[in-house]
Each structure stands twice: as structure tokens, then as C-alpha cells.
Amino acid sequence: MRDLLALGLSQGTSGNVSVRFDDGFLVTPSGIPAERLRPEDIVPMTWDGGFRHALSPSSEWRFHRDILAARPEIGAVVHAHPTHCTAFAICGREIPAVHYMIAAVGGPTIRCAPYAPYGTQELSQAALLALEGRTGCLLANHGMIAAGSDLQKALWVAVEMEALCRQYAVALQVGAPVILPDDEIWRTVERFKSYGPRSRTNNPE
């Protein structure tokens, strides 16, 4: 959450993060700015939506729960409202393959889920559909979701999504962006299986 703030991907109390943990998951609480969060403020939740904590979980806990439950390869989920991702989400625009880095989300497009009220099961279902075969999507008139095998990977996807949307926005002002073919992106997706952030302990010299 502090990284989202420092990277300019979030502000105030917006945005939320979850991570798979024991027999459930951890999620950030509702209404506490990132800079004031303490480790003990993070809310443990069970898969049925239960929790025992003085603080309430994020209002978006449903899509965090449902993504983690439906996608065993995903260990962490980041949700935020960065400017360029959100601008395209406001326009209901899918992001095409204008740069090979779109492979970071697992395919040749970043889909935009249709609008649904925040915190609802309807929004969770829309997000799950938009995330099929992907680790990132936009939420119409709302923001973005990024996911990964761990928190580091999920944050990386979020950063790459916002960079791509920023580049696409500028390119649209310059002229007609050239879209890379799907087969090139699928080849890059394969190459990206060994690409991205990693721990130094996984890279012996």
C-alpha cells in the first residue's frame, strides 16, 4: 500500500491489497490511509467472508477473495485508481497490444470489465471474467486490478499497466498507434515466464 502511494498509483484511502495466507487471505482495512497503516491493521479473512478484527476489511474484499479462490496460481491482488488506467476505464476502453510489455498481463489485451457498483458481487463477477487468462484488467468508471504469484509480482503488473496506459494515451495524441499482432504477444508471454521481478536468492551468481 505504501509503494502504491510512493509510485503515484494511489492516493488517500483509495486502493487495497490482498495476499493469500494460511487457510484464507489477508486484506487491507477500510478507511485507513496507507501512510498510517500498521501490520496489525491488516485484516485476516476466511473464504466465506468472515473475519474477527477490530477493523473492517476493504469494501472490495469480495473480488480479492474471488480472484484468489478462482486462480490458485495467484497469490496477491492489487487494486488502485492510477490516473491513466482509470482514464481509459472511464472511457470503457480495452488496451490493445501497442507495446510488447502488455505481455506482463498474460495476453494481447487488457480488458475493461463493465461497470458495477464498488464492493458488490456483481463487480467481482465482472472482474473475474475480464481477468480470464490475464493478470490485469480495468474496471469501467473505477480503476484497475493487477495480480501476481506474490505481492512483488502483483505490484510489478500494476506499474506496467499504468506505464502502458500512459504511453498509449500519449501515442493517441501523436497519431494512430500501431498494434502488434497477437502471435507476437503470445511469443512474448512465453518469454516472460522467466522475466519480471525476482528475489536475489533465486539468482545465484
Side-chain angles (χ1 to χ4, degrees), residues 9 12 36 61 69 128 139 151 153:
L9 300 180
R36 287 175 44 203
W61 66 266
L128 281 173
L139 304 175
L151 284 168
K153 281 285 183 70

Side-chain angles (χ1 to χ4, degrees), residues 37-154:
L37 278 175
R38 302 169 301 171
E40 56 267 32
D41 295 331
I42 306 302
V43 183
M45 297 191 71
T46 54
W47 296 116
D48 62 2
F51 68 95
R52 293 181 180 181
H53 198 282
L55 297 173
S56 296
S58 164
S59 59
E60 303 288 18
W61 66 266
R62 286 176 180 82
F63 69 59
H64 285 276
R65 185 266 314 270
D66 292 348
I67 293 167
L68 291 169
R71 300 278 296 273
E73 79 279 14
I74 289 174
V77 177
V78 168
H79 168 58
H81 307 157
T83 300
H84 294 85
C85 284
T86 303
F88 282 106
I90 288 169
C91 295
R93 294 274 294 270
E94 178 178 271
I95 308 302
V98 291
H99 193 289
Y100 72 82
M101 281 303 296
I102 201 167
V105 303
T109 57
I110 298 173
R111 303 186 190 102
C112 184
Y115 178 77
Y118 78 89
T120 62
Q121 195 61 42
E122 183 185 2
L123 177 61
S124 180
Q125 289 303 117
L128 281 173
L129 286 173
L131 284 167
E132 284 187 2
R134 304 285 192 273
T135 55
C137 73
L138 303 180
L139 304 175
N141 302 90
H142 186 157
M144 56 86 80
I145 293 174
S149 56
D150 55 29
L151 284 168
Q152 187 181 24
K153 281 285 183 70

